[in-house]
Amino acid sequence: MTHTSALDRLLRYVAIDTRSDESSRSTPSTPGQLTLLKLLVDELHGIGIANAALDEHGYVMATIPASEGLAGAPVVGFIAHVDTSPEMPGGGVKPLVHRGYDGRDLVLPDAPDAVLRLADHPALAGQVGHDIVTASGTTLLGADDKAGVAAIMAAAEHLMRHPDAPRGPVRIAFTPDEEIGRGADHFDVERFGAVCAYTLDGGGVGELEYESFSADAMTVTFHGFNTHPGYAKDRMVNAIKLAAEFITRIPQDGMSPETTDGYEGFVHPYIVNASVERTSVKLLIRDFSTTVLKQREALVERLAHEVVAAEPRAKVECAVDVSYRNMREVLDGRPEVVERAREAMRRAGITPVEKPIRGGTDGSRLSFMGLPTPNLFAGEHNFHSRLEWVSAQDMDQAVRVIVELCGVWAEAR
Ligand SMILES: [Zn+2]
């Protein structure tokens, strides 16, 4: 029996336009996602997974049966998202396989400026001899996260063809609309029924992520007073100027995206809706510590009130919307989830590369919904870019890690 490689699967999946759309109210947000989700159900049936099914919200779930005598082992899950970023063209993707990479420039034929150079992309240094997949220069590739989908599918096929490979029951989910932050919205954790899961949505070989930002969004609204500007003396209160003063007071050093990295958080004004009468500033608040996140929010509120304190006719309101929390707050209580991923990588001859995610994943929300979910590498690089790439050999390593991880969990009884 021949297996379908992760590479062949990736090439098939990226041909389907699955760009998600924030302005859509349907689930999934775009019909192309359903096309891929249905294809995945067919392929899962084709490799013998009879219970693979698509639910009414666009989630595919399926079970790889346990090997002989291991039906009582813990149920673990693997998750990948089918949508691609709405920020970039995702239709008409023409994937190119650059066989046997030798360090030369990878020229993408459809755009003269689209060139992958080793000097600009140091992650290519470890790829000599590999087969690198890119798009043709005008679209993204969609390896984020179709490389993850392909790796899970290839691992599923491997396990179905090797019924003796040790594993407990293994659950698979393919989800819609991750890129617009809705991937966990309709995820039925109870029905999934796993003790933990792993998203396959990471970068280079070995990447293991179990810390994300804690994140909130704030809206600070200044209320002024508008009049005809020719007769405004001692009457007009310009909310735009209040907002400008407020933004100026936000410390730049060590508190903005432009000046922080690693474990530093930030306060990031990103949208202003301005008029003299009323100006609102939207801000992203981020930190790895939820306590510090709350301190940053208190600071934002204090700065806003300081500005208004100097102008008694003005008013300000501050509102906070919770976005997601650092998955580590959950995973610290379940250390075996990360430790077993480390062990699976070691068995595959891979050194884990552990670093914090300066953002959130569906796993951040799923962890707080009762499904601890760190993120594993799928070989993805240059996310959301026309220069997106993935190597076939790295995807195969991800397949190997999934298979090993099933074995590690099967021993944990
Ligand atoms: Zn992704």
Side-chain angles (χ1 to χ4, degrees), residues 64-86:
I64 302 169
S67 51
E68 180 82 30
L70 288 173
V75 180
V76 291
F78 295 92
I79 301 171
H81 66 89
V82 298
D83 64 314
T84 62
S85 171

Side-chain angles (χ1 to χ4, degrees), residues 81 144-145 178-179 201 380:
H81 66 89
D144 171 13
D145 183 23
E178 190 266 359
E179 300 288 1
D201 194 14
E380 302 160 21

Side-chain angles (χ1 to χ4, degrees), residues 64-74 162-169 406-407 409-413:
I64 302 169
S67 51
E68 180 82 30
L70 288 173
H162 297 85
D164 293 339
R167 76 272 184 162
C406 292
W409 273 97
E411 294 164 15
R413 294 213 282 159

Side-chain angles (χ1 to χ4, degrees), residues 306-321:
E306 276 174 16
V307 168
V308 166
E311 173 48 83
R313 292 169 299 170
K315 267 194 340 191
V316 67
E317 294 157 358
C318 299
V320 177
D321 283 312

